[in-house]
Amino acid sequence: MRRVWRCAGLRWSGDGPVLVWGGGRSSPLAWGKRVAFGVVDGGVRTCVGARGHECPVQAVVSGRATGARCEECARLDRAHSVAADTMADDPRPYHVYLAWFGPGMVKVGITAVERGSARLLEQGAVTFGWLGQGPLMAARRAEELLRAALKVPDRIPYADKRVVRADLPGPGERVAEIVELHARVGRLDAWPESLRREPFEPVDHTEVFGLAGLPPAVGAVSELVAGGVVSGELCAAAGPDLHLLTGRGVVVLDTRLMTGWELTAAGPGDSGLTVPVRELKDSSVQDGLF
């Protein structure tokens, strides 16, 4: 009988991407490594709970949801969340940053200083630079200032990020947009006084993500299903996404779709993809499933 594992998501370490499993086990990933697993036949996807606690009712959640939480657990998880603005009294210092994901895709965000660049790796930022450092509420005011004064968004959809990764410009062009924005931010008069400005020092994740020479993705897994199999050679990873080389070409797997399912090691005869895949090219050719 195959052993069953529950995935706790993808984490980024100093050595690269790591799949984390319930019970503390982890699987470091490397380019060229085969990523292969099966979804337990007859199983359902259940809520992963909130803030370290199991879902009291083991609610069934949609296979297409990236959060893998029922409505009640999602509410509890965000009850003490910086992202949800429910931790205004957090005493930790915060960074404000500009992140670039592709041409015309720049966002502003904040992250705790103690986390370093982890948040940027988790989001799949190809290039980023710090703007300033200071108290949480000052960082929030700076974030809102950029949205209002410079029209810089605080979110870029993952669907937009993943389709441009195989066609990124050179290093100079990758950094040009945030260089220009950093200079414009420096000329804003309403910058919070308690937020220390930082000089522009760009950080590039192209090599960390394995994006050099990445073939274009032909599709993205839209959900896992009971009895389904995912198998492919890892050729890149960015944020929660794994770019897997399969017999159909490169297919993107958002690892957030793995949480909540009971998974097993793929058998000797299991290969390719037997889960729904959404095409990323001309949608007029097919209806979204291969």
Side-chain angles (χ1 to χ4, degrees):
M1 182 176 180
R2 296 184 186 179
R3 190 169 183 180
V4 173
W5 300 92
R6 285 186 179 272
C7 183
L10 186 72
R11 302 289 183 270
W12 283 89
S13 71
D15 298 322
V18 177
L19 279 173
V20 181
W21 307 92
R25 181 174 176 264
S26 62
S27 302
L29 300 175
W31 315 139
K33 179 176 182 177
R34 180 174 177 253
V35 175
F37 62 87
V39 184
V40 171
D41 198 11
V44 295
R45 191 185 191 198
T46 56
C47 175
V48 296
R51 310 193 69 79
H53 301 285
E54 292 188 0
C55 176
V57 297
Q58 292 292 292
V60 175
V61 295
S62 168
R64 292 177 179 267
T66 54
R69 288 187 174 91
C70 67
E71 184 176 342
E72 180 62 17
C73 286
R75 184 187 66 80
L76 291 172
D77 191 64
R78 292 177 66 84
H80 300 283
S81 166
V82 170
D85 282 333
T86 56
M87 289 183 63
D89 58 347
D90 188 344
R92 296 176 299 172
Y94 276 78
H95 267 136
V96 184
Y97 62 81
L98 287 172
W100 183 92
F101 301 90
M105 298 182 191
V106 178
K107 63 155 283 185
V108 60
I110 69 172
T111 184
V113 170
E114 65 187 31
R115 297 204 67 209
S117 62
R119 181 64 176 150
L120 285 305
L121 292 166
E122 292 166 357
Q123 293 184 3
V126 178
T127 305
F128 80 91
W130 304 125
L131 285 171
Q133 177 180 327
L136 172 59
M137 296 314 294
R140 277 292 189 216
R141 287 196 298 274
E143 187 180 39
E144 178 57 34
L145 175 64
L146 266 69
R147 288 201 299 263
L150 302 181
K151 310 302 180 186
V152 183
D154 63 347
R155 296 178 187 276
I156 302 289
Y158 277 104
D160 295 342
K161 298 176 188 179
R162 58 178 62 113
V163 296
V164 300
R165 290 181 186 138
D167 192 28
L168 296 174
E173 292 181 73
R174 291 201 295 270
V175 78
E177 287 185 68
I178 51 177
V179 166
E180 190 268 341
L181 265 177
H182 192 280
R184 291 176 64 191
V185 172
R187 295 191 291 269
L188 293 175
D189 294 330
W191 187 260
E193 293 183 3
S194 58
L195 198 70
R196 186 182 78 244
R197 295 180 185 269
E198 297 200 7
F200 185 71
E201 297 178 356
V203 177
D204 192 276
H205 287 151
T206 304
E207 184 175 345
V208 176
F209 292 155
L211 300 181
L214 176 66
V218 299
V221 173
S222 55
E223 64 178 317
L224 301 186
V225 293
V229 172
V230 173
S231 179
E233 178 184 309
L234 183 66
C235 51
D241 293 340
L242 303 182
H243 289 246
L244 303 176
L245 181 60
T246 72
R248 302 167 178 173
V250 173
V251 174
V252 181
L253 169 64
D254 185 337
T255 54
R256 295 175 298 176
L257 297 174
M258 297 169 63
T259 57
W261 285 104
E262 290 189 333
L263 306 176
T264 67
D270 294 332
S271 61
L273 293 165
T274 60
V275 296
V277 175
R278 180 181 67 259
E279 191 178 7
L280 295 182
K281 291 186 177 181
D282 184 2
S283 59
S284 65
V285 177
Q286 293 178 321
D287 62 4
L289 300 181
F290 283 91

